[in-house]
Amino acid sequence: MTPFMDRNFLLKTQTARKLYNEYAAKMPIIDYHCHIDPMEIYEDRRYENITQLWLGADHYKWRAMRSCGVAECYITGDAAPEEKFQKWAETIPDLIGNPLYHWTHLELQRYFGIEEPLNGDNAMEIYRRCNETLKRPDMTARGLIRKSHVRLICTTDDPADDLRAHELLAADPSASVVVLPAFRPDKAMRADKPDFPDYVAKLEQVVGYSIDTAADMRRALSDRIAYFADHGCCVSDHGLDFCFCVEADEEELDAAFAAAKAGRKITAQQQLAYHTAMLIAVGKEYAKRDWVLQLHFGCLRNPSDTMFRKLGPDTGYDCINDAPNAAGLCGLLNALEKAGALGKTIVYSLNPSDNAAVGSIIGAFQTDSQIPGKIQQGSAWWFNDHKLGMEAQMTSLMSLGAMGHFNGMLTDSRSFLSYTRHEYFRRILCNLFGQLVEDGEYPADWNTLGKMVENISYYNTLHYFGFDKWLK
């Protein structure tokens, strides 16, 4: 019997163990997409207890607790921290095969030195031990970043953000990690949302002029992109329900914008046309600055009206959208390319059924030989960042593309303990490569294999995003 989550966890062959222990394990982390609050890094936040650190904003755990019949008061409600932790611990044994089981125990091992499995019986003892550890001087936000060997973080920031926390961090010589903003203009793109008029008013205050037409919005986004660039930004991120490309003339765009700004409902076709026009506009700005465009799609958000009214967005009630994406993605990439706006682009689908389509589509747009892997398939994301999901995504990418240029893992988390997901990914990566070698499908060329593992773990991201200038 293989021991529970020992040093060879997920590494089934000697080749896999050599690749992980001698190459992957030593590599630093670049967290190029996350939802951490940069002010918490600047203020070097200290957490009062493990519940606050672990359960405070983790909708992955919230979903699991609900699936096990835990009452909402122990999840997002006003139950005491120790009560919430107890309920989480009681949930854990039922999560066999769920990545949360592995992540939970990796975090307990790496940050708290706790090797025994968590359950309802030992919950209060582990709660006490974790809280004692959190009192140590090195267990603050910055301390956890240092422990995780993180060298650079890109947060997620709205065009209207003032980036004050980034300015403070940039001026702080004691900050050991580079923290850069990432441009996430979804609210400016969704003219069909009820809060769009309020958002436009907010953006008008930031840019200092009225936004009355589609051209005005293009100008506002361009101005904010320049502002973000001045603060070191070199990556954007866009969330799409599904992929699309709907073209319209300027008169149609202005009519849709005027209606939306006035709070009137616009048609789905008008929204898609407006969204397409804005994506092409910002794509041009990104391309001329050599920014990376990230496209995350395939999510169906807030399907439960009852829980959306009760708790709001981002509370664990989203799901995978199975809308067709291949034609829409091809149309969008083609429109960007024709407009001279298709720069470095990473494509992520939340639907694992899209893996092969995405892998073949990115190969159809590799039109700049000077940038290896210019159009990338992103790592297994959200509902797919488990063992089977990562294996499926990487196996598909290996089958259809050039795995050696893959940018590897992102954290996509709000927690400072989630960096163990990079270890999880690297172990799965090395196990995949190790099996290919053991099966005689790739030579035991340690120089080539080792360098490839190091590249996927760190160097590909460093060079692709242009982080070299920050991490010399």
Side-chain angles (χ1 to χ4, degrees):
M1 180 185 296
T2 302
F4 173 65
M5 290 184 67
D6 67 354
R7 69 186 303 269
N8 291 322
F9 173 56
L10 298 178
L11 305 171
K12 297 180 181 179
T13 66
Q14 289 299 323
T15 303
R17 293 166 188 172
K18 180 179 177 69
L19 287 173
Y20 178 75
N21 291 311
E22 296 185 18
Y23 300 96
K26 67 183 180 181
M27 300 311 297
I29 290 172
I30 294 176
D31 190 12
Y32 58 89
H33 175 67
C34 74
H35 298 278
I36 284 173
D37 182 351
M39 191 57 76
E40 291 190 11
I41 302 174
Y42 174 70
E43 294 173 346
D44 201 14
R45 181 178 179 183
R46 178 172 294 282
Y47 292 85
E48 298 172 13
N49 53 64
I50 183 61
T51 302
Q52 187 183 64
L53 176 59
W54 233 9
L55 298 172
D58 194 335
H59 54 79
Y60 284 80
K61 294 187 178 77
W62 297 350
R63 287 173 66 97
M65 293 168 77
R66 291 173 187 134
S67 296
C68 292
V70 175
E72 196 65 35
C73 67
Y74 297 107
I75 302 172
T76 60
D78 57 2
E82 59 271 20
E83 294 177 317
K84 291 183 176 182
F85 188 86
Q86 177 69 41
K87 292 298 184 182
W88 170 240
E90 292 172 2
T91 298
I92 281 290
D94 288 330
L95 302 184
I96 184 171
N98 190 306
L100 285 167
Y101 195 89
H102 292 156
W103 296 346
T104 292
H105 292 100
L106 279 175
E107 291 169 17
L108 286 173
Q109 290 178 9
R110 300 298 178 262
Y111 298 106
F112 300 96
I114 295 173
E115 300 288 333
E116 59 264 38
L118 176 65
N119 55 54
D121 294 334
N122 63 12
M124 287 301 95
E125 173 59 18
I126 288 180
Y127 182 76
R128 182 193 64 78
R129 290 164 63 184
C130 288
N131 290 345
E132 283 299 311
T133 300
L134 286 174
K135 293 177 183 177
R136 293 191 335 219
D138 62 344
M139 292 296 287
T140 60
R142 294 192 192 188
L144 292 168
I145 290 170
R146 284 192 293 270
K147 280 179 179 295
S148 306
H149 203 13
V150 180
R151 298 196 65 198
L152 188 146
I153 295 170
C154 290
T155 59
T156 301
D157 307 273
D158 185 87
D161 290 346
D162 63 8
L163 304 183
R164 177 61 177 158
H166 291 89
E167 292 176 346
L168 292 169
L169 280 163
D172 183 357
S174 69
S176 60
V177 64
V178 177
V179 183
L180 302 177
F183 192 72
R184 180 72 178 252
D186 289 358
K187 292 181 179 179
M189 304 276 173
R190 294 305 301 262
D192 58 334
K193 295 296 185 182
D195 59 354
F196 185 71
D198 291 337
Y199 182 75
V200 173
K202 181 180 180 181
L203 192 56
E204 286 175 331
Q205 288 186 327
V206 171
V207 297
Y209 49 81
S210 181
I211 303 174
D212 297 315
T213 65
D216 291 339
M217 180 58 84
R218 292 189 190 95
R219 176 190 171 196
L221 290 172
S222 176
D223 287 346
R224 296 311 292 168
I225 289 169
Y227 181 80
F228 271 59
D230 288 342
H231 288 74
C233 183
C234 57
V235 58
S236 71
D237 183 47
H238 292 256
L240 311 177
D241 296 338
F242 56 90
C243 290
F244 53 84
C245 182
V246 176
E247 297 185 273
D249 61 35
E250 201 69 11
E251 184 176 348
E252 292 171 308
L253 295 175
D254 285 345
F257 183 86
K261 184 181 178 182
R264 299 194 300 273
K265 188 173 182 177
I266 61 174
T267 68
Q269 195 76 356
Q270 284 179 307
Q271 165 56 31
L272 295 179
Y274 169 75
H275 203 155
T276 299
M278 291 302 113
L279 281 169
I280 293 172
V282 297
K284 291 178 181 178
E285 298 293 330
Y286 303 156
K288 73 182 183 183
R289 291 176 171 83
D290 200 31
W291 281 19
V292 174
L293 164 63
Q294 295 181 101
L295 294 170
H296 285 86
F297 56 85
C299 180
L300 192 61
R301 296 187 181 274
N302 309 308
S304 169
D305 288 341
T306 299
M307 297 313 297
F308 181 71
R309 286 194 298 267
K310 183 176 180 180
L311 297 176
D314 303 320
T315 52
Y317 287 96
D318 301 330
C319 59
I320 293 172
N321 190 341
D322 66 350
N325 283 302
L329 179 59
C330 283
L332 180 58
L333 296 180
N334 187 48
L336 288 166
E337 187 176 60
K338 288 193 297 182
L342 185 61
K344 294 181 290 188
T345 303
I346 307 178
V347 176
Y348 309 79
S349 176
L350 196 55
N351 189 342
S353 299
D354 287 338
N355 278 339
V358 169
S360 66
I361 289 167
I362 64 173
F365 288 92
Q366 305 289 12
T367 53
D368 188 340
S369 61
Q370 301 303 307
I371 305 176
K374 173 185 171 183
I375 313 299
Q376 293 254 341
Q377 180 179 12
S379 63
W381 163 55
W382 196 348
F383 292 118
N384 302 305
D385 55 3
H386 45 75
K387 182 163 72 78
L388 291 179
M390 291 184 191
E391 289 174 343
Q393 183 270 336
M394 287 192 279
T395 300
S396 179
L397 180 58
M398 283 191 283
S399 300
L400 295 168
M403 184 68 178
H405 294 293
F406 179 39
N407 274 322
M409 187 59 177
L410 48 80
T411 307
D412 191 31
S413 174
R414 293 167 174 81
S415 171
F416 290 100
L417 298 184
S418 292
Y419 295 115
T420 51
R421 295 181 193 178
H422 286 261
E423 176 184 341
Y424 194 59
F425 165 82
R426 292 173 185 182
R427 287 176 177 273
I428 293 167
L429 168 72
C430 291
N431 193 62
L432 281 174
F433 281 10
Q435 195 61 56
L436 290 172
V437 173
E438 295 281 342
D439 291 345
E441 296 183 44
Y442 197 89
D445 178 348
W446 298 111
N447 183 54
T448 300
L449 281 165
K451 188 62 179 175
M452 193 181 306
V453 166
E454 291 177 348
N455 285 343
I456 294 170
S457 298
Y458 177 73
Y459 288 112
N460 285 350
T461 298
L462 178 72
H463 301 314
Y464 181 82
F465 285 84
F467 293 142
D468 314 60
K469 61 186 176 185
W470 297 98
L471 301 175
K472 296 178 180 179

